[in-house]
Short mmCIF file of all heavy atoms in Angstrom, two decimals:
data_model
loop_
_atom_site.label_atom_id
_atom_site.label_comp_id
_atom_site.label_asym_id
_atom_site.label_seq_id
_atom_site.Cartn_x
_atom_site.Cartn_y
_atom_site.Cartn_z
N ARG H 134 -10.19 112.12 32.64
CA ARG H 134 -10.45 111.01 33.55
C ARG H 134 -9.42 109.87 33.39
O ARG H 134 -9.07 109.21 34.36
CB ARG H 134 -11.84 110.43 33.31
CG ARG H 134 -12.96 111.42 33.52
CD ARG H 134 -14.32 110.74 33.49
NE ARG H 134 -14.61 110.12 32.19
CZ ARG H 134 -14.92 108.83 32.03
NH1 ARG H 134 -14.97 108.02 33.06
NH2 ARG H 134 -15.19 108.36 30.81
N PHE H 135 -8.97 109.65 32.16
CA PHE H 135 -8.03 108.56 31.87
C PHE H 135 -6.66 109.14 31.52
O PHE H 135 -6.56 110.21 30.92
CB PHE H 135 -8.51 107.74 30.68
CG PHE H 135 -9.75 106.93 30.93
CD1 PHE H 135 -10.52 107.06 32.07
CD2 PHE H 135 -10.16 105.99 29.98
CE1 PHE H 135 -11.65 106.30 32.28
CE2 PHE H 135 -11.29 105.22 30.16
CZ PHE H 135 -12.04 105.39 31.32
N THR H 136 -5.64 108.39 31.87
CA THR H 136 -4.27 108.78 31.54
C THR H 136 -3.51 107.57 31.01
O THR H 136 -3.48 106.52 31.66
CB THR H 136 -3.53 109.34 32.76
OG1 THR H 136 -4.25 110.45 33.30
CG2 THR H 136 -2.13 109.79 32.38
N ILE H 137 -2.90 107.73 29.85
CA ILE H 137 -2.08 106.67 29.27
C ILE H 137 -0.62 107.01 29.49
O ILE H 137 -0.22 108.17 29.42
CB ILE H 137 -2.38 106.48 27.76
CG1 ILE H 137 -1.68 105.23 27.21
CG2 ILE H 137 -2.02 107.72 26.96
CD1 ILE H 137 -2.12 104.86 25.80
N ALA H 138 0.17 105.98 29.78
CA ALA H 138 1.60 106.19 30.01
C ALA H 138 2.34 104.92 29.59
O ALA H 138 1.77 103.82 29.62
CB ALA H 138 1.87 106.49 31.48
N ARG H 139 3.58 105.09 29.19
CA ARG H 139 4.38 103.93 28.81
C ARG H 139 5.68 103.92 29.61
O ARG H 139 6.25 104.96 29.90
CB ARG H 139 4.66 103.92 27.30
CG ARG H 139 5.45 105.08 26.77
CD ARG H 139 5.40 105.14 25.24
NE ARG H 139 6.00 103.96 24.62
CZ ARG H 139 5.79 103.59 23.35
NH1 ARG H 139 4.98 104.30 22.59
NH2 ARG H 139 6.39 102.54 22.85
N ASP H 140 6.09 102.71 29.94
CA ASP H 140 7.36 102.51 30.63
C ASP H 140 8.23 101.68 29.69
O ASP H 140 8.08 100.46 29.61
CB ASP H 140 7.12 101.78 31.96
CG ASP H 140 8.39 101.63 32.78
OD1 ASP H 140 9.49 101.62 32.19
OD2 ASP H 140 8.29 101.51 34.00
N ASN H 141 9.11 102.36 28.97
CA ASN H 141 9.89 101.66 27.96
C ASN H 141 10.84 100.63 28.58
O ASN H 141 11.10 99.58 27.99
CB ASN H 141 10.68 102.66 27.12
CG ASN H 141 9.77 103.46 26.19
OD1 ASN H 141 8.66 103.04 25.88
ND2 ASN H 141 10.24 104.61 25.77
N ALA H 142 11.35 100.92 29.77
CA ALA H 142 12.27 99.98 30.42
C ALA H 142 11.57 98.67 30.77
O ALA H 142 12.15 97.59 30.67
CB ALA H 142 12.87 100.61 31.66
N LYS H 143 10.30 98.78 31.15
CA LYS H 143 9.54 97.58 31.55
C LYS H 143 8.66 97.06 30.42
O LYS H 143 7.94 96.07 30.60
CB LYS H 143 8.68 97.88 32.77
CG LYS H 143 9.50 98.20 34.01
CD LYS H 143 8.60 98.42 35.21
CE LYS H 143 9.43 98.69 36.47
NZ LYS H 143 8.57 98.91 37.66
N ARG H 144 8.70 97.74 29.27
CA ARG H 144 7.94 97.30 28.10
C ARG H 144 6.45 97.18 28.42
O ARG H 144 5.79 96.20 28.09
CB ARG H 144 8.48 95.97 27.56
CG ARG H 144 9.95 96.00 27.17
CD ARG H 144 10.41 94.64 26.68
NE ARG H 144 9.66 94.22 25.52
CZ ARG H 144 9.97 94.54 24.28
NH1 ARG H 144 11.02 95.32 24.03
NH2 ARG H 144 9.25 94.08 23.27
N THR H 145 5.94 98.18 29.10
CA THR H 145 4.53 98.17 29.46
C THR H 145 3.87 99.50 29.12
O THR H 145 4.52 100.55 29.07
CB THR H 145 4.33 97.89 30.95
OG1 THR H 145 5.04 98.89 31.70
CG2 THR H 145 4.81 96.51 31.34
N VAL H 146 2.57 99.42 28.89
CA VAL H 146 1.74 100.60 28.72
C VAL H 146 0.61 100.50 29.72
O VAL H 146 0.01 99.44 29.89
CB VAL H 146 1.15 100.68 27.30
CG1 VAL H 146 0.21 101.88 27.17
CG2 VAL H 146 2.26 100.78 26.27
N HIS H 147 0.34 101.60 30.39
CA HIS H 147 -0.69 101.62 31.42
C HIS H 147 -1.81 102.57 31.02
O HIS H 147 -1.59 103.55 30.31
CB HIS H 147 -0.10 102.08 32.75
CG HIS H 147 1.04 101.25 33.23
ND1 HIS H 147 0.87 99.97 33.73
CD2 HIS H 147 2.36 101.50 33.28
CE1 HIS H 147 2.04 99.48 34.07
NE2 HIS H 147 2.97 100.38 33.80
N LEU H 148 -3.00 102.27 31.51
CA LEU H 148 -4.13 103.17 31.37
C LEU H 148 -4.74 103.35 32.75
O LEU H 148 -5.35 102.43 33.28
CB LEU H 148 -5.17 102.62 30.39
CG LEU H 148 -6.34 103.55 30.10
CD1 LEU H 148 -5.86 104.77 29.30
CD2 LEU H 148 -7.45 102.82 29.35
N GLN H 149 -4.52 104.52 33.32
CA GLN H 149 -5.12 104.84 34.61
C GLN H 149 -6.50 105.43 34.35
O GLN H 149 -6.63 106.43 33.64
CB GLN H 149 -4.24 105.86 35.36
CG GLN H 149 -4.82 106.29 36.69
CD GLN H 149 -4.87 105.17 37.70
OE1 GLN H 149 -3.94 104.38 37.82
NE2 GLN H 149 -5.98 105.07 38.43
N MET H 150 -7.50 104.79 34.92
CA MET H 150 -8.88 105.21 34.69
C MET H 150 -9.49 105.65 36.00
O MET H 150 -9.62 104.85 36.94
CB MET H 150 -9.69 104.05 34.09
CG MET H 150 -9.06 103.47 32.84
SD MET H 150 -10.10 102.24 32.03
CE MET H 150 -10.11 100.95 33.28
N ASN H 151 -9.86 106.91 36.09
CA ASN H 151 -10.48 107.48 37.28
C ASN H 151 -11.90 107.92 36.97
O ASN H 151 -12.27 108.08 35.80
CB ASN H 151 -9.66 108.67 37.78
CG ASN H 151 -8.24 108.29 38.16
OD1 ASN H 151 -7.99 107.18 38.65
ND2 ASN H 151 -7.30 109.20 37.95
N SER H 152 -12.66 108.15 38.00
CA SER H 152 -14.05 108.63 37.85
C SER H 152 -14.80 107.77 36.84
O SER H 152 -15.48 108.29 35.94
CB SER H 152 -14.06 110.10 37.42
OG SER H 152 -13.37 110.90 38.35
N LEU H 153 -14.70 106.49 37.00
CA LEU H 153 -15.33 105.58 36.03
C LEU H 153 -16.84 105.70 36.06
O LEU H 153 -17.46 105.95 37.12
CB LEU H 153 -14.89 104.14 36.31
CG LEU H 153 -13.48 103.82 35.82
CD1 LEU H 153 -12.94 102.58 36.51
CD2 LEU H 153 -13.48 103.63 34.31
N LYS H 154 -17.43 105.51 34.88
CA LYS H 154 -18.88 105.61 34.70
C LYS H 154 -19.39 104.27 34.16
O LYS H 154 -18.64 103.53 33.51
CB LYS H 154 -19.19 106.71 33.70
CG LYS H 154 -18.63 108.07 34.04
CD LYS H 154 -18.90 109.07 32.92
CE LYS H 154 -18.31 110.43 33.24
NZ LYS H 154 -18.57 111.41 32.15
N PRO H 155 -20.67 103.99 34.38
CA PRO H 155 -21.22 102.74 33.83
C PRO H 155 -21.01 102.62 32.32
O PRO H 155 -20.81 101.51 31.81
CB PRO H 155 -22.70 102.84 34.19
CG PRO H 155 -22.72 103.65 35.45
CD PRO H 155 -21.63 104.67 35.26
N GLU H 156 -21.03 103.73 31.62
CA GLU H 156 -20.84 103.69 30.17
C GLU H 156 -19.41 103.37 29.77
O GLU H 156 -19.11 103.21 28.58
CB GLU H 156 -21.29 105.00 29.51
CG GLU H 156 -20.70 106.25 30.13
CD GLU H 156 -21.64 106.90 31.14
OE1 GLU H 156 -22.26 106.15 31.95
OE2 GLU H 156 -21.74 108.14 31.13
N ASP H 157 -18.49 103.29 30.72
CA ASP H 157 -17.13 102.85 30.43
C ASP H 157 -17.03 101.33 30.38
O ASP H 157 -15.98 100.79 30.01
CB ASP H 157 -16.15 103.38 31.48
CG ASP H 157 -15.99 104.89 31.45
OD1 ASP H 157 -15.89 105.44 30.34
OD2 ASP H 157 -15.96 105.51 32.54
N THR H 158 -18.09 100.64 30.75
CA THR H 158 -18.08 99.18 30.73
C THR H 158 -17.79 98.67 29.34
O THR H 158 -18.48 99.02 28.37
CB THR H 158 -19.43 98.63 31.22
OG1 THR H 158 -19.60 98.98 32.60
CG2 THR H 158 -19.49 97.12 31.07
N ALA H 159 -16.76 97.83 29.21
CA ALA H 159 -16.34 97.33 27.91
C ALA H 159 -15.18 96.36 28.09
O ALA H 159 -14.61 96.27 29.18
CB ALA H 159 -15.89 98.49 27.01
N VAL H 160 -14.85 95.68 27.01
CA VAL H 160 -13.59 94.95 26.95
C VAL H 160 -12.54 95.92 26.42
O VAL H 160 -12.75 96.53 25.37
CB VAL H 160 -13.69 93.71 26.05
CG1 VAL H 160 -12.33 93.01 25.96
CG2 VAL H 160 -14.75 92.75 26.57
N PHE H 161 -11.46 96.05 27.14
CA PHE H 161 -10.39 96.97 26.76
C PHE H 161 -9.25 96.17 26.13
O PHE H 161 -8.81 95.15 26.68
CB PHE H 161 -9.89 97.73 27.98
CG PHE H 161 -10.79 98.86 28.39
CD1 PHE H 161 -12.04 98.60 28.95
CD2 PHE H 161 -10.41 100.18 28.21
CE1 PHE H 161 -12.88 99.65 29.33
CE2 PHE H 161 -11.24 101.23 28.58
CZ PHE H 161 -12.48 100.96 29.14
N TYR H 162 -8.78 96.65 24.99
CA TYR H 162 -7.74 95.97 24.23
C TYR H 162 -6.51 96.85 24.09
O TYR H 162 -6.61 98.05 23.80
CB TYR H 162 -8.23 95.64 22.82
CG TYR H 162 -9.39 94.69 22.76
CD1 TYR H 162 -10.70 95.15 22.76
CD2 TYR H 162 -9.18 93.32 22.69
CE1 TYR H 162 -11.77 94.28 22.69
CE2 TYR H 162 -10.24 92.43 22.63
CZ TYR H 162 -11.53 92.93 22.63
OH TYR H 162 -12.58 92.05 22.56
N CYS H 163 -5.36 96.24 24.25
CA CYS H 163 -4.10 96.90 23.99
C CYS H 163 -3.76 96.75 22.50
O CYS H 163 -4.00 95.69 21.91
CB CYS H 163 -3.00 96.26 24.84
SG CYS H 163 -1.37 97.02 24.67
N ASN H 164 -3.24 97.81 21.93
CA ASN H 164 -2.92 97.81 20.50
C ASN H 164 -1.51 98.34 20.27
O ASN H 164 -1.08 99.28 20.93
CB ASN H 164 -3.92 98.69 19.77
CG ASN H 164 -3.54 98.97 18.32
OD1 ASN H 164 -2.87 99.96 18.01
ND2 ASN H 164 -3.93 98.08 17.44
N TYR H 165 -0.84 97.71 19.32
CA TYR H 165 0.45 98.20 18.85
C TYR H 165 0.37 98.35 17.34
O TYR H 165 -0.05 97.42 16.64
CB TYR H 165 1.57 97.23 19.22
CG TYR H 165 2.88 97.48 18.51
CD1 TYR H 165 3.54 98.69 18.63
CD2 TYR H 165 3.48 96.50 17.71
CE1 TYR H 165 4.72 98.93 17.98
CE2 TYR H 165 4.66 96.72 17.06
CZ TYR H 165 5.29 97.94 17.20
OH TYR H 165 6.48 98.18 16.55
N ARG H 166 0.70 99.55 16.86
CA ARG H 166 0.63 99.82 15.43
C ARG H 166 2.03 100.04 14.89
O ARG H 166 2.74 100.95 15.33
CB ARG H 166 -0.23 101.05 15.15
CG ARG H 166 -0.31 101.41 13.68
CD ARG H 166 -1.45 102.36 13.43
NE ARG H 166 -2.73 101.73 13.71
CZ ARG H 166 -3.88 102.39 13.79
NH1 ARG H 166 -3.90 103.70 13.60
NH2 ARG H 166 -5.00 101.76 14.04
N ALA H 167 2.40 99.18 13.95
CA ALA H 167 3.69 99.29 13.29
C ALA H 167 3.43 99.50 11.81
O ALA H 167 3.10 98.55 11.10
CB ALA H 167 4.50 98.02 13.51
N GLY H 168 3.53 100.74 11.37
CA GLY H 168 3.22 101.05 9.98
C GLY H 168 1.75 100.80 9.71
O GLY H 168 0.89 101.36 10.37
N ALA H 169 1.48 99.93 8.76
CA ALA H 169 0.10 99.64 8.39
C ALA H 169 -0.46 98.42 9.13
O ALA H 169 -1.60 98.02 8.89
CB ALA H 169 0.01 99.41 6.89
N ARG H 170 0.32 97.85 10.02
CA ARG H 170 -0.12 96.62 10.68
C ARG H 170 -0.47 96.89 12.13
O ARG H 170 0.24 97.59 12.84
CB ARG H 170 0.99 95.57 10.60
CG ARG H 170 0.56 94.23 11.17
CD ARG H 170 1.41 93.09 10.69
NE ARG H 170 0.92 91.82 11.20
CZ ARG H 170 1.46 90.66 10.93
NH1 ARG H 170 2.52 90.58 10.14
NH2 ARG H 170 0.95 89.55 11.44
N ASP H 171 -1.59 96.28 12.56
CA ASP H 171 -2.06 96.37 13.93
C ASP H 171 -1.90 95.03 14.62
O ASP H 171 -2.21 93.98 14.05
CB ASP H 171 -3.54 96.77 13.98
CG ASP H 171 -3.74 98.25 13.80
OD1 ASP H 171 -3.06 99.02 14.50
OD2 ASP H 171 -4.58 98.63 12.98
N TYR H 172 -1.45 95.10 15.88
CA TYR H 172 -1.38 93.93 16.74
C TYR H 172 -2.28 94.18 17.94
O TYR H 172 -2.35 95.30 18.46
CB TYR H 172 0.06 93.68 17.20
CG TYR H 172 1.03 93.40 16.08
CD1 TYR H 172 1.68 94.43 15.42
CD2 TYR H 172 1.28 92.09 15.66
CE1 TYR H 172 2.56 94.18 14.38
CE2 TYR H 172 2.17 91.83 14.63
CZ TYR H 172 2.80 92.89 13.99
OH TYR H 172 3.68 92.62 12.97
N TRP H 173 -2.93 93.10 18.40
CA TRP H 173 -3.91 93.24 19.48
C TRP H 173 -3.66 92.23 20.58
O TRP H 173 -3.25 91.10 20.32
CB TRP H 173 -5.32 93.02 18.94
CG TRP H 173 -5.75 94.00 17.91
CD1 TRP H 173 -5.65 93.87 16.56
CD2 TRP H 173 -6.35 95.29 18.15
NE1 TRP H 173 -6.15 95.00 15.95
CE2 TRP H 173 -6.59 95.87 16.90
CE3 TRP H 173 -6.72 95.98 19.31
CZ2 TRP H 173 -7.18 97.13 16.75
CZ3 TRP H 173 -7.30 97.23 19.17
CH2 TRP H 173 -7.51 97.80 17.91
N GLY H 174 -3.96 92.65 21.80
CA GLY H 174 -4.04 91.70 22.89
C GLY H 174 -5.41 91.04 22.88
O GLY H 174 -6.28 91.37 22.07
N LYS H 175 -5.64 90.14 23.85
CA LYS H 175 -6.91 89.42 23.90
C LYS H 175 -7.98 90.20 24.65
O LYS H 175 -9.15 89.84 24.59
CB LYS H 175 -6.69 88.05 24.54
CG LYS H 175 -5.84 87.13 23.68
CD LYS H 175 -5.72 85.75 24.31
CE LYS H 175 -4.89 84.82 23.40
NZ LYS H 175 -4.77 83.46 23.97
N GLY H 176 -7.59 91.24 25.36
CA GLY H 176 -8.55 92.08 26.02
C GLY H 176 -8.73 91.77 27.50
O GLY H 176 -8.47 90.66 27.95
#
């Protein structure tokens, strides 16, 4: 149902979400992991 893709030229990551269900309701956060460190967006 979901597809993740990255566009390195535009420095973006996308999440295409299809056939959404009520149980998909949530705050979605972007994450970048560099070694042992995690970085997060605000959601």
